Amino acid sequence: MAPVNGAAMHGKQKRIGVMTSGGDSQGMNGVVRAVVRMSIHMGCEAYAVYEGYEGLVRGGDLIKQMHWDDVRGFLSRGGTLIGTKRCKEFFERAGRAKAAKNMIERGIDALIICGGDGSLTGADKFRSEWPSLLEELVNTGELKQEQIEPYKHLNICGLVGSIDNDLSGTDATIGCYSSLERICEMVDAVFDTAASHKRGFVIEVMGRNCGWLAMMASIATGADYVFIPEKPPGVGWEDEMCDIVTSHRKWGKRRTIIIISEGAQDTELKKITADQVVEVLTDRLSLDTRKTVLGHIQRGGLPSYYDRWLSTLQGVEAVNAILDATPDKRTPVITVRENKIERSDLQECVELTKSVAEAIKQKDFAKAMRLRDVEFKEYFDSFKLTTSTDNTSLRLPEEKRMRIAIIHVGAPAGGMNPATRAAVAYCLSRGHIPIAIHNGFPGLQRHHDDKPLGSVRVCEWLDVDPWVNEGGSELGTNRGLPSEDMEKTAYCFELYKFDALFLIGGFEAFTAASELRQNRDKYASFKIPLVVLPATVSNNVPGTEYSLGSDTCLNTLIGFCDAIRQSASASRRRVFVVETQGGKSGYLATMAGLSIGALAVYIPEEGINIHMLARDIEFLRESFKHDRGASRAGKIILRNEVASDTYTTQIVADMIKEEARGRFESRSAVPGHYQQGGKPSPMDRIRALRMAIKCMQFLEDTFAGKSQDEIDNNPLNAVVIGVQGSEVVFNPMGGKDGLEATQTDWRLRRPKNEFWRPLKGTVDILSGRPSDTDCCDECGKLLVSSGEMPKSVAASRPITPMPERPYVQNVPSIGDRLTAVVSRT
């Protein structure tokens, strides 16, 4: 694929600088990689500014042109490989003048900065002063007028790198979920020793001015109490905390976990320390309590899947924003809302963030919670609900209370158990009766009345509280459907008087809800509201862009691929073909490919053909030919498990090995059901709580106290909760415009319009993978004619141009050779 001339409109080749500033965060390296490669792809030159603003001021070797292969291996590395350093000199005008001179001398008039709000504010000020700085440099004789003429305007774009997630206007900042993962790993590890000795642990996390890490860690680990600066406890907080801990101990809970933000304080702004909390628990409750301060371990380690995804897509969008920029446009910052990457106004976001700090200072904590965002308050309220399920003041009148059945359907997925726990917590706090159906619909049909313990059981809080970090499905799950015995299913619904059914699962859960909905005319007991919460590693449920379990699976998969790549890189000459799950949806393979920098991704939506393989093998040859033993040279190809019936994972690996002719090796690797296992990721845990509680609220607000006929006539009587773009929505399944009729490919078991498909092109762009037009149709060789060549090769490797249609006498085409390999296999 030839580079896109995105800078042609500027009359010169645009040079884009990228730098990291402020505190380091996991994912910063992903930003640098994406900016460098996307800039090259768009026909620009990329420069890295080392050591943050210090490098911009000092110049010299600290501003370096970056080529395609310079950022190889960046995606999986923690911290920032181009460094970050505080620079007092930049905060003086003379320092900014030096920075401007260094940029002009290198022809750089666009800068992408990844850092905190302070770093981004400094960059915006730099942009506003740019014209006057250039004029000053000309007047002092340091630059000539003709030197500055092409660079009259400075374009800036910001990306927020912060583990605290402290910028208002975005759901997440680069590094926050990796940091949350470190915290959850530590707290999960404490669980066992705490329960063994019936101890309490007070765990201090980062967050001087923002309680996001503390609050999300509390949700993800089922903490008993949390201290955050935006919603501090009142004077006398000791009594409230001790009452909650005592209540939980009376239920039979053996461990106590308190999470405190380093910026914790009470409503009078009096500092609350971890030592104070330990002292209160020890003195008042005689509870053996220990303190753990996690410190900078929260900044370390590899970036999570989400931070790789976020940093890559935001880096790509930042380059596009720079190329779209005009002098009259305000400085953008790249943000994210749910699953949607957006451009926001940098100064608006910074001012909003400062307003939070001011509201806290003024003791207006309600305003501080609102200014964070709506979700922040939702999460806090949901957490408080899970710690006070015995609070009778929240319960509804008898006539509004419902018997809500909860069932898991399909393959296990991380997040099923936390979602069930959250639903049960909400039901108990509101007076509803949560009823667990064990082992799916087959369990209901065959074992509902087994003695001494049937498959239909009322849930108690202590039954589900430990599920907060448990993977798999504690209720038991399988692919069985109501249609296996519809009559018995209807009988059980009537026998146990279900008022609503909450289905947690994948495409089978969607199918089960569809079967129940379509049989309401035959069985009156099915005239109850049905809500599907998608939970599947394949993320193939219509009506949503996110399913519980997909983040957990992708974290597991990229961990596997990182280890595999290490092996491949150690030999300097090895390719691994890794098989992913996902059924007939290529979501997993594509997202994993984006997050590990896969050389190629094969998905069912595109299939695999001989020409595709020929092109990729030729690209591998060129890559290894020019690597010459370079480090981090291992290659990974991802193949969805059903991408092709003919070209299996092993066959693809064998074909590559055959065509390598000893220049490099090929291996296959199949992680299989390993992708489904392990503890749920923090994102799956906190989203499970939020989505499950939204489902319970939807059932309560829409259907509590309604008759069967009223329910049957409501178009929202069977829905899927889903993330679509920047919103969480309830999509109706039935009707002519419902999900079943308009958005479901029943044969292929996936949505008709898959939101992630355009990202497949981004994977290919950032890997440098050539397209059809880059290769000869007959022999598969890379074409280098008329100045066109694959962007990665063009950016980093000299290649001798070939004729328009190269012809090699008496040598079989690569397509013929590959066909022969398939036949032998």
Side-chain angles (χ1 to χ4, degrees):
M1 186 183 296
V4 177
N5 192 4
M9 66 186 76
H10 301 275
K12 59 184 175 62
Q13 188 172 36
K14 197 166 190 66
R15 294 180 174 179
I16 299 175
V18 59
M19 61 181 279
T20 54
S21 180
D24 66 301
S25 63
Q26 306 95 323
M28 282 183 163
N29 293 318
V31 169
V32 176
R33 173 183 179 270
V35 169
V36 168
R37 293 195 170 181
M38 191 63 184
S39 297
I40 293 170
H41 172 75
M42 297 301 289
C44 306
E45 289 182 5
Y47 286 77
V49 180
Y50 284 74
E51 310 303 340
Y53 284 114
E54 177 86 4
L56 209 58
V57 172
R58 287 175 54 192
D61 293 340
L62 294 180
I63 302 178
K64 172 186 171 185
Q65 184 175 359
M66 301 292 280
H67 299 286
W68 193 271
D69 286 340
D70 291 335
V71 291
R72 177 189 287 167
F74 269 43
L75 197 52
S76 62
R77 303 284 294 276
T80 167
L81 293 172
I82 63 172
T84 178
K85 190 175 182 180
R86 300 190 185 280
C87 179
K88 293 182 179 179
E89 194 172 356
F90 185 81
F91 290 93
E92 303 293 332
R93 184 175 174 85
R96 293 192 291 276
K98 288 181 182 179
K101 180 183 177 182
N102 287 327
M103 290 179 66
I104 293 295
E105 288 178 342
R106 286 161 180 78
I108 302 170
D109 63 350
L111 197 58
I112 295 173
I113 302 104
C114 182
D117 61 343
S119 300
L120 300 185
T121 301
D124 193 52
K125 183 175 183 179
F126 187 40
R127 183 198 181 197
S128 66
E129 291 181 348
W130 182 260
S132 62
L133 289 172
L134 297 193
E135 184 179 351
E136 185 178 304
L137 290 167
V138 171
N139 292 338
T140 58
E142 294 187 59
L143 291 176
K144 297 180 179 179
Q145 184 66 36
E146 57 267 27
Q147 283 181 281
I148 70 166
E149 203 59 41
Y151 308 106
K152 287 293 186 69
H153 303 288
L154 174 64
N155 294 323
I156 294 285
C157 184
L159 297 93
V160 192
S162 167
I163 67 167
D164 294 337
N165 197 16
D166 53 357
L167 186 82
S168 296
T170 186
D171 285 352
T173 56
I174 294 166
C176 69
Y177 275 100
S178 298
S179 180
L180 181 61
E181 194 164 299
R182 297 293 94 74
I183 295 170
C184 291
E185 286 173 1
M186 298 302 105
V187 179
D188 287 350
V190 161
F191 270 26
D192 296 334
T193 186
S196 297
H197 299 274
K198 299 182 73 172
R199 280 182 180 145
F201 275 84
V202 178
I203 299 172
E204 182 182 301
V205 302
M206 287 184 171
R208 187 176 299 108
N209 300 309
C210 178
W212 187 88
L213 277 177
M215 186 171 70
M216 295 306 169
S218 299
I219 290 171
T221 60
D224 298 86
Y225 201 82
V226 64
F227 293 89
I228 60 173
E230 296 89 343
K231 188 71 173 176
V235 176
W237 55 267
E238 298 91 341
D239 294 333
E240 180 189 31
M241 181 184 70
C242 288
D243 287 346
I244 288 175
V245 170
T246 301
S247 173
H248 292 180
R249 288 282 171 163
K250 286 180 178 178
W251 294 343
K253 196 171 182 180
R254 291 180 60 87
R255 64 173 180 264
T256 296
I257 303 292
I258 309 293
I259 295 183
I260 181 170
S261 171
E262 62 179 327
Q265 56 194 358
D266 65 18
T267 50
E268 295 302 314
L269 306 185
K270 183 180 179 182
K271 176 74 174 172
I272 300 174
T273 67
D275 287 325
Q276 284 178 265
V277 178
V278 170
E279 184 179 345
V280 169
L281 293 174
T282 302
D283 294 348
R284 294 199 182 190
L285 302 181
S286 299
L287 184 63
D288 184 5
T289 308
R290 309 297 167 89
K291 179 185 78 169
T292 300
V293 180
L294 297 183
H296 282 74
I297 194 173
Q298 296 161 82
R299 289 192 186 276
L302 304 182
S304 66
Y305 154 72
Y306 183 84
D307 280 324
R308 299 187 195 197
W309 172 86
L310 185 64
S311 61
T312 298
L313 293 188
Q314 288 194 340
V316 167
E317 183 62 19
V319 173
N320 290 329
I322 285 290
L323 296 179
D324 291 343
T326 58
D328 58 318
K329 287 184 178 179
R330 288 167 66 90
T331 302
V333 61
I334 310 301
T335 56
V336 61
R337 285 290 186 185
E338 299 295 350
N339 261 24
K340 188 178 180 182
I341 304 296
E342 299 179 336
R343 300 179 194 176
S344 302
D345 185 280
L346 172 60
Q347 276 308 311
E348 284 183 6
C349 291
V350 170
E351 289 304 316
L352 202 58
T353 304
K354 290 180 178 178
S355 297
V356 177
E358 184 60 29
I360 293 173
K361 187 177 179 181
Q362 299 298 324
K363 303 180 185 179
D364 191 347
F365 303 111
K367 181 179 179 182
M369 292 292 281
R370 286 196 310 272
L371 288 173
R372 279 289 177 221
D373 58 43
V374 176
E375 292 171 19
F376 194 85
K377 184 177 185 304
E378 280 183 10
Y379 275 122
F380 183 81
D381 292 342
S382 297
F383 168 74
K384 296 294 286 185
L385 184 146
T386 63
T387 63
S388 55
T389 56
D390 56 348
N391 185 351
T392 57
S393 65
L394 299 174
R395 291 181 184 165
L396 296 170
E398 288 285 348
E399 64 274 11
K400 293 285 188 179
R401 298 181 187 179
M402 306 170 73
R403 291 173 58 84
I404 300 177
I406 305 170
I407 189 169
H408 295 176
V409 187
M416 281 182 159
N417 291 323
T420 304
R421 175 184 180 271
V424 170
Y426 187 87
C427 287
L428 294 175
S429 68
R430 301 290 282 171
H432 304 303
I433 300 176
I435 304 168
I437 300 175
H438 290 256
N439 302 317
F441 283 101
L444 176 68
Q445 294 159 355
R446 303 169 195 167
H447 306 290
H448 69 94
D449 57 355
D450 283 2
K451 304 299 181 184
L453 196 63
S455 62
V456 180
R457 309 171 201 166
V458 174
C459 291
E460 301 295 339
W461 178 239
L462 202 58
D463 296 334
V464 300
D465 182 42
W467 297 1
V468 65
N469 63 352
E470 291 295 332
S473 167
E474 291 296 314
L475 289 186
T477 186
N478 52 62
R479 299 180 188 274
L481 296 171
S483 54
E484 293 178 12
D485 193 339
M486 195 66 76
E487 189 171 335
K488 179 57 73 71
T489 303
Y491 167 77
C492 291
F493 274 42
E494 187 172 357
L495 177 66
Y496 294 102
K497 295 180 172 54
F498 297 154
D499 294 320
L501 181 64
F502 182 39
L503 302 96
I504 305 173
F507 200 87
E508 288 82 7
F510 180 80
T511 304
S514 175
E515 290 182 355
L516 294 171
R517 188 191 66 79
Q518 294 180 42
N519 279 275
R520 282 173 171 157
D521 291 342
K522 296 180 183 178
Y523 305 102
S525 60
F526 292 162
K527 292 181 179 180
I528 60 174
L530 310 171
V531 178
V532 178
L533 172 54
T536 167
V537 301
S538 303
N539 198 20
N540 62 338
V541 178
T544 187
E545 297 174 7
Y546 167 82
S547 300
L548 296 180
S550 58
D551 185 74
T552 300
C553 178
L554 282 161
N555 273 304
T556 303
L557 190 55
I558 66 170
F560 180 88
C561 289
D562 283 350
I564 288 290
R565 188 190 293 277
Q566 188 177 61
S567 171
S569 296
S571 71
R572 300 289 196 270
R573 51 193 293 276
R574 182 170 292 168
V575 182
F576 271 96
V577 183
V578 179
E579 181 175 296
T580 73
Q581 291 188 329
K584 295 185 182 297
S585 169
Y587 172 82
L588 268 187
T590 301
M591 295 299 104
L594 189 74
S595 304
I596 65 165
L599 182 134
V601 176
Y602 299 140
I603 59 176
E605 289 83 354
E606 296 177 353
I608 307 175
N609 60 57
I610 200 75
H611 296 292
M612 186 185 296
L613 289 169
R615 183 177 75 235
D616 291 337
I617 290 172
E618 186 62 27
F619 182 48
L620 279 168
R621 284 179 177 170
E622 287 295 332
S623 297
F624 280 111
K625 176 182 176 182
H626 293 281
D627 280 343
R628 296 187 179 92
S631 62
R632 303 191 299 276
K635 319 290 185 193
I636 291 183
I637 293 174
L638 296 178
R639 176 192 173 275
N640 169 277
E641 58 189 343
V642 294
S644 170
D645 292 334
T646 302
Y647 300 111
T648 64
T649 302
Q650 188 60 53
I651 286 177
V652 171
D654 288 343
M655 293 169 75
I656 294 172
K657 181 179 179 181
E658 179 79 9
E659 289 299 316
R661 300 177 192 171
R663 291 183 183 176
F664 52 91
E665 302 173 345
S666 176
R667 299 282 191 277
S668 64
V670 183
H673 284 77
Y674 172 76
Q675 296 164 75
Q676 293 180 2
K679 291 183 179 294
S681 70
M683 172 172 280
D684 278 333
R685 298 187 204 182
I686 62 179
R687 282 196 169 179
L689 176 124
R690 179 183 175 215
M691 306 285 263
I693 289 181
K694 276 185 175 292
C695 288
M696 296 301 103
Q697 290 171 336
F698 170 79
L699 289 172
E700 179 181 286
D701 295 342
T702 313
F703 299 104
K706 298 294 173 65
S707 68
Q708 280 190 338
D709 289 338
E710 288 175 312
I711 293 170
D712 196 35
N713 292 327
N714 191 321
L716 295 177
N717 58 28
V719 297
V720 174
I721 185 174
V723 172
Q724 291 188 335
S726 59
E727 298 179 334
V728 176
V729 296
F730 287 93
N731 292 296
M733 294 179 61
K736 64 177 183 178
D737 297 323
L739 296 176
E740 296 175 34
T742 63
Q743 296 189 36
T744 306
D745 187 329
W746 290 98
R747 183 178 65 85
L748 296 176
R749 292 166 50 84
R750 67 191 188 206
K752 287 182 178 178
N753 300 309
E754 296 174 298
F755 76 97
W756 53 267
R757 287 295 299 278
L759 296 181
K760 177 62 166 55
T762 305
V763 176
D764 291 341
I765 286 171
L766 297 181
S767 72
R769 186 188 185 195
S771 66
D772 291 337
T773 57
D774 292 326
C775 299
C776 173
D777 294 336
E778 297 174 2
C779 71
K781 283 189 176 295
L782 294 176
L783 292 178
V784 184
S785 56
S786 305
E788 295 188 354
M789 62 185 73
K791 51 205 164 295
S792 62
V793 177
S796 59
R797 307 169 180 133
I799 292 186
T800 304
M802 296 159 52
E804 285 294 321
R805 285 294 175 188
Y807 174 72
V808 183
Q809 191 173 9
N810 299 326
V811 177
S813 72
I814 194 168
D816 289 339
R817 296 199 299 272
L818 290 179
T819 302
V821 173
V822 174
S823 299
R824 290 199 298 273
T825 304

